[in-house]
């Protein structure tokens, strides 16, 4: 059976070149006589892998020297607790922009741990099912907040921050789970970036944290050891057994990104794919994009027909034709095409051709 076009929001499609290299090295990595899955994380062979992975990430993202890179577990969802426990220990206040489910969960977790009265919602787009990025007024920002939290790209709702809020001296913290490595970012504008790997970086199980050094070492008293960034930073992400194979796959993905031309090339490639799909949706008589204008995500494209039965029929027909995981998130319905770095342009072109055929047959 040939491979399908996988539009899953995560775990998501991986570059075929990466999968082939991992398959070739599965039984034995180099001349180690063992698989990476079997390696001790304390071995010199594995230390070389994790060191190279970090060096590649620093190179690809141009991460400044005063930032630590941590390879953790627990998904982005664990970061919703780790962030306030580690960062919300100065004034004890934090600001949040609610642009979807994950941003809302980050706010709720911080409120639970540090008190709702200390967590301020600066703006929300919940009134229109999170289908836009709300306008922000810096006059509303908490001047002495310990951090300002955003979700850079909203996987479920298909929106993204086209412009970053200017938070001044307040550290900007961004969940980049579904857009990291998709385009260049100025890491120095953030106090911290975090991302679950299972969308653009590798398999589920690895979480990457990029954090400015001055934000480490201030954890709230009583913070569990495994939730203290300083513990992980001081131990080179080796305090406990890290997600070894996920880190190895990320290394291969980063090698692939460099071979493609780096993040500037990734951005051009992603803009081209998104334009193909949005241009069709904007002229279609059957399908309609749910997000308009500059807030449209390059990674996640939700769309609907306006008829739930027709939506279901399309998802079923698409699956038969080799286009899988197009069903929208259960909270919003409809369809969603996640077109991460590893989705080839031909996949998007083939999807649009299929959508045109479905439209002609179901107009």
């Amino acid at each position: 059976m040939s491979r399908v076009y996988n539009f899953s929001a995560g775990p998501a499609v991986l570059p075929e070149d990466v999968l082939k290299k991992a398959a070739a090295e599965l039984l034995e990595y180099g001349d180690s006589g063992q698989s990476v899955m079997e390696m001790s994380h304390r071995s010199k062979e594995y230390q070389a892998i994790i060191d190279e992975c970090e060096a590649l990430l620093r190179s690809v993202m141009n991460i400044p020297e005063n930032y630590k890179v941590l390879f953790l577990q627990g998904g982005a969802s664990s970061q919703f607790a780790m962030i306030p426990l580690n960062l919300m220990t100065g004034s004890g206040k934090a600001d949040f922009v609610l642009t979807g489910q994950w941003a809302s969960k980050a706010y709720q977790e911080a409120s639970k741990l540090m008190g709702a009265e200390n967590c301020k919602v600066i703006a929300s787009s919940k009134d229109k099912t999170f289908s836009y990025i709300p306008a922000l007024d810096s006059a509303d920002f908490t001047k002495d907040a310990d951090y300002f939290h955003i979700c850079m790209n909203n996987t479920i709702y298909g929106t993204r921050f086209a412009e970053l809020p200017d938070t001044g001296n307040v550290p900007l913290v961004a969940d980049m789970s579904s857009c990291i490595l998709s385009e260049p970012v100025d890491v120095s504008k953030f106090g911290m970036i975090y991302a679950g790997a299972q969308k653009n970086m590798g398999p589920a199980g690895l979480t990457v944290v990029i954090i400015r050094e001055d934000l480490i070492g201030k954890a709230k008293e009583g913070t569990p050891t495994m939730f203290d960034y300083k513990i992980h930073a001081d131990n080179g992400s080796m305090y406990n057994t890290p997600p070894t194979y996920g880190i190895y796959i990320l290394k291969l993905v980063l090698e692939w990104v460099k071979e493609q031309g780096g993040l500037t090339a990734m951005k051009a490639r992603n803009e081209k794919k998104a334009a193909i799909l949005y241009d069709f949706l904007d002229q279609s008589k059957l399908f309609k994009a749910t997000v308009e204008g500059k807030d449209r995500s390059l990674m996640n494209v939700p769309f609907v027909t306006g008829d739930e039965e027709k939506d279901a029929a399309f998802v079923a027909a698409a699956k038969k034709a080799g286009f899988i995981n197009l069903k929208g998130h259960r909270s919003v319905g409809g369809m969603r095409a996640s077109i991460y770095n590893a989705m080839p342009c031909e996949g998007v072109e083939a999807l649009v051709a299929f959508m045109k055929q479905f439209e002609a047959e179901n107009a």
Side-chain angles (χ1 to χ4, degrees), residues 10-273:
V13 61
L14 283 164
E16 284 195 18
D17 288 349
V18 167
L19 294 174
K20 287 174 181 175
K21 186 166 185 182
E25 296 179 334
L26 182 61
L27 200 61
E28 181 182 15
Y29 180 78
D31 59 0
S32 67
Q34 60 192 312
S35 171
V36 175
M37 283 190 209
E38 303 168 308
M39 275 181 191
S40 165
H41 61 296
R42 304 293 181 191
S43 66
K44 69 179 188 339
E45 291 90 352
Y46 191 76
Q47 188 65 53
I49 290 173
I50 194 171
D51 288 347
E52 188 177 350
C53 184
E54 179 178 340
L56 280 164
L57 186 62
R58 286 184 176 278
S59 173
V60 166
M61 290 189 68
N62 196 25
I63 299 171
E65 288 185 8
N66 64 322
Y67 284 73
K68 291 288 189 183
V69 173
L70 307 178
F71 299 116
L72 307 178
Q73 298 174 75
S77 294
S78 283
Q79 295 307 309
F80 301 158
M82 287 182 77
I83 293 164
L85 288 173
N86 283 268
L87 271 57
M88 208 168 164
T89 53
S91 68
K93 303 172 189 174
D95 287 349
F96 298 81
V97 182
L98 307 189
T99 51
Q101 182 169 308
W102 308 115
S104 299
K105 287 188 174 183
Y107 163 72
Q108 290 159 7
E109 195 77 356
S111 298
K112 183 169 68 174
L113 289 167
M114 314 302 277
E117 69 279 5
N118 296 314
C119 300
K120 182 179 180 182
V121 176
I122 297 299
S124 172
S125 52
K126 188 177 181 180
D127 62 325
K128 293 184 179 176
T129 324
F130 299 118
S131 60
Y132 68 101
I133 299 294
L136 304 178
D137 184 347
S138 60
D140 296 330
F141 298 0
T142 305
K143 303 308 177 193
D144 63 342
D146 290 324
Y147 67 92
F148 188 111
H149 183 279
I150 63 171
C151 184
M152 192 93 163
N153 184 88
N154 298 284
T155 321
I156 295 172
Y157 304 96
T159 60
R160 68 162 180 157
F161 278 82
E163 298 174 12
L164 294 176
D166 182 358
T167 58
N169 293 324
V170 174
L172 180 61
V173 174
D175 179 350
M176 288 194 189
S177 294
S178 56
C179 64
I180 196 164
L181 302 184
S182 66
E183 60 183 329
V185 294
D186 183 350
V187 175
S188 68
K189 290 186 176 180
F190 300 86
M192 176 180 155
I193 291 166
Y194 66 102
Q198 68 273 14
K199 300 168 189 290
N200 252 346
M201 302 182 100
L206 167 65
T207 306
V208 173
V209 168
I210 302 165
I211 182 168
R212 211 171 62 211
E213 288 179 348
D214 64 297
L215 299 177
I216 298 173
K218 302 175 181 178
K220 177 183 168 74
E221 187 176 350
T223 295
T225 302
M226 282 294 293
F227 270 34
D228 187 337
Y229 291 132
K230 189 173 190 303
I231 294 292
H232 296 290
D234 288 350
N235 288 278
S237 299
M238 294 277 199
Y239 176 74
N240 69 324
T241 308
T244 54
Y245 200 73
I247 293 166
Y248 157 73
I249 295 292
L250 172 56
K251 181 180 83 76
L252 300 187
V253 168
L254 290 165
E255 289 171 352
W256 176 82
V257 169
K258 287 199 85 164
E259 287 167 5
Q260 304 306 305
L263 297 189
T264 300
M266 282 292 114
K267 182 181 181 183
R269 171 186 172 127
N270 289 326
E271 286 177 337
K272 180 182 178 182
K273 289 186 295 184

